[in-house]
Amino acid sequence: MKEKFLNVPNILTLIRLLLIPVVVTLIIKGETIAAFWLFGLACFTDVLDGYIARKYKLQTRLGTWLDPLADKLMAVSVLVTFTLNGIFPFFVIAVVATKELAMLIGGFLVIKNGHTAPANVFGKAAALLLNLSIASGFFHEQLYPYYIWATYITLGFVLLAFVQYAFKNGKLCFTKAEDMKEDKKASLG
């Protein structure tokens, strides 16, 4: 991986991080349409930075850590704000925040042990559904009660994707990459 900090994908990720307090402030002020559009822009930069990083081989260690952190902080920040405003019930943010914290800790351990564990199709689908559920919160008055039902279904899918990811990658949290290579050589040899 190239280690140039200021490349286009990382700049887009930093923009997404900077949008978090703006989106939250707009929600608090009742400027939900503006907040919705900036939330949508943040989601778009997430797709765009990943595409650019892969297509032009601009992945960095910083980006592999910062990009999911920005996604998680945006989701949790907006959900907390919505929860405090009575748009989502508390258990929605409790489930999402717990899952995201577990993913951050797991991701840190995976990277610390010299592995990578990129998101799979289940994780990407769960992230899309979560962002759509969050986006529905901007229109809660018009979409009630359907946005809540959709959010409950999304929570189920998010948890299912988390369990699948944990079963597939959990061992990477506790095993150094060198140890796994040696075990593989020993089993082949």
Side-chain angles (χ1 to χ4, degrees), residues 38-89:
L38 287 179
F39 178 79
L41 176 64
C43 292
F44 177 72
T45 65
D46 182 31
V47 172
L48 188 60
D49 72 18
Y51 172 78
I52 292 170
R54 285 185 296 279
K55 180 166 176 71
Y56 297 102
K57 298 183 182 358
L58 294 173
Q59 294 117 323
T60 63
R61 287 191 186 128
L62 175 68
T64 60
W65 181 251
L66 197 60
D67 179 70
L69 179 65
D71 301 342
K72 292 167 188 347
L73 286 174
M74 176 64 84
V76 169
S77 297
V78 173
L79 282 172
V80 165
T81 307
F82 280 165
T83 300
L84 293 174
N85 287 335
I87 296 168
F88 285 113

Side-chain angles (χ1 to χ4, degrees), residues 106-179:
F108 172 77
L109 292 172
V110 166
I111 291 169
K112 183 178 178 234
N113 285 325
H115 303 287
T116 59
N120 60 25
V121 68
F122 296 107
K124 289 182 185 279
L128 173 65
L129 289 173
L130 182 61
N131 281 332
L132 289 173
S133 291
I134 292 169
S136 74
F138 289 100
F139 302 100
H140 65 280
E141 292 173 349
Q142 296 83 1
L143 297 175
Y144 183 83
Y146 308 108
Y147 84 97
I148 290 290
W149 298 345
T151 300
Y152 295 161
I153 292 167
T154 296
L155 281 181
F157 198 83
V158 164
L159 289 174
L160 183 65
F162 173 70
V163 168
Q164 183 273 338
Y165 190 81
F167 273 111
K168 182 178 178 197
N169 298 301
K171 66 182 174 283
L172 302 178
C173 294
F174 306 104
T175 309
K176 299 244 182 247
E178 306 87 44
D179 295 342

